[in-house]
Amino acid sequence: MKQFRNICLFTLMLTLILTGCSITSPTNKEFREQFEKDWEESTEQNLEDYWTVAHSDEAGKDHYWKVLDADEEEVCTITNEDQVKQVDDLLSDDGTWRDLTTEAPDTPAYTYIFCQQETQKAGQPPETRVYEDLVSFTISTETDTLTLKILEDLPTLLGADLNDLLTVTTTIPSETAEALRNPTQFAE
């Protein structure tokens, strides 16, 4: 087997030598200048194309917020870009959230459900992507607490329900809690 491999390698090297294959750089100055110009233009165009796609709506996953009341009836859907950003900002921890616990939350006032487009698969038309409910944030009626829950069905591991481990209650600033208790302000 070794001998066969050596013969193949020798034959390949001999073929390359006899055909005159070698890497050379063009010496024609006009050719080089044209090549460099073409290279620069194509690079600029590729960067422009990348920038356009990377910063378009098609590049990322779109999302919206669905709001449910205490009876789990839909109150509103927040799809306006500016209002979605307002809710995103309210529900982003800026370091003011504290006292994380896994205790049961108080009586819920409203639940904000984060709905995001699924990942586009190879060959999948963009318009066929569906929205998935990923996370819920439930604001309490009595206290300034917010319960975050991952909405994915997870298996039981060693007798422990993993969904319970992914549910956390935290204390939030009272201004944030008050804003979240009035979801219709985002649906205007």
Side-chain angles (χ1 to χ4, degrees), residues 22-63:
S22 64
I23 300 173
T24 60
S25 177
T27 56
N28 183 337
K29 185 177 179 182
E30 190 177 305
F31 174 80
R32 290 187 110 180
E33 288 173 355
Q34 184 62 41
F35 176 80
E36 289 173 4
K37 181 181 174 200
D38 291 346
W39 178 263
E40 186 175 319
E41 287 174 3
S42 69
T43 303
E44 284 178 21
Q45 185 60 46
N46 287 338
L47 285 174
E48 286 176 25
D49 292 347
Y50 168 77
W51 188 260
T52 302
V53 171
H55 293 88
S56 70
D57 290 338
E58 297 170 12
K61 295 180 183 180
D62 190 26
H63 74 280

Side-chain angles (χ1 to χ4, degrees), residues 50-183:
Y50 168 77
W51 188 260
T52 302
V53 171
H55 293 88
S56 70
D57 290 338
E58 297 170 12
K61 295 180 183 180
D62 190 26
H63 74 280
Y64 68 90
W65 291 95
K66 192 169 25 174
V67 184
L68 309 178
D69 63 14
D71 298 324
E72 296 189 6
E73 296 293 322
E74 190 169 321
V75 174
C76 63
T77 301
I78 305 166
T79 57
N80 176 283
E81 189 176 328
D82 293 334
Q83 291 161 336
V84 166
K85 179 155 179 22
Q86 285 179 340
V87 175
D88 289 349
D89 292 344
L90 281 172
L91 292 172
S92 296
D93 182 11
D94 59 357
T96 57
W97 296 10
R98 55 193 185 282
D99 304 329
L100 291 175
T101 66
T102 55
E103 295 174 13
D106 296 326
T107 308
Y110 293 99
T111 299
Y112 289 74
I113 299 177
F114 182 81
C115 306
Q116 182 178 26
Q117 278 183 320
E118 69 178 345
T119 302
Q120 186 173 356
K121 291 144 188 89
Q124 179 184 15
E127 63 275 2
T128 62
R129 292 167 43 183
V130 296
Y131 285 85
E132 302 171 323
D133 296 351
L134 298 181
V135 181
S136 72
F137 295 86
T138 303
I139 184 69
S140 170
T141 55
E142 296 97 21
T143 61
D144 296 336
T145 56
L146 185 72
T147 301
L148 174 135
K149 181 177 183 177
I150 305 298
L151 297 177
E152 183 147 344
D153 288 331
L154 297 172
T156 301
L157 181 65
L158 301 174
D161 185 0
L162 295 180
N163 289 319
D164 290 342
L165 295 175
L166 296 176
T167 301
V168 178
T169 300
T170 184
T171 304
I172 60 173
S174 57
E175 306 82 44
T176 303
E178 286 305 314
L180 292 172
R181 287 188 190 107
N182 181 15

Side-chain angles (χ1 to χ4, degrees), residues 11-25:
T11 305
L12 178 64
M13 288 188 331
L14 188 59
T15 304
L16 289 173
I17 292 170
L18 292 176
T19 59
C21 290
S22 64
I23 300 173
T24 60
S25 177

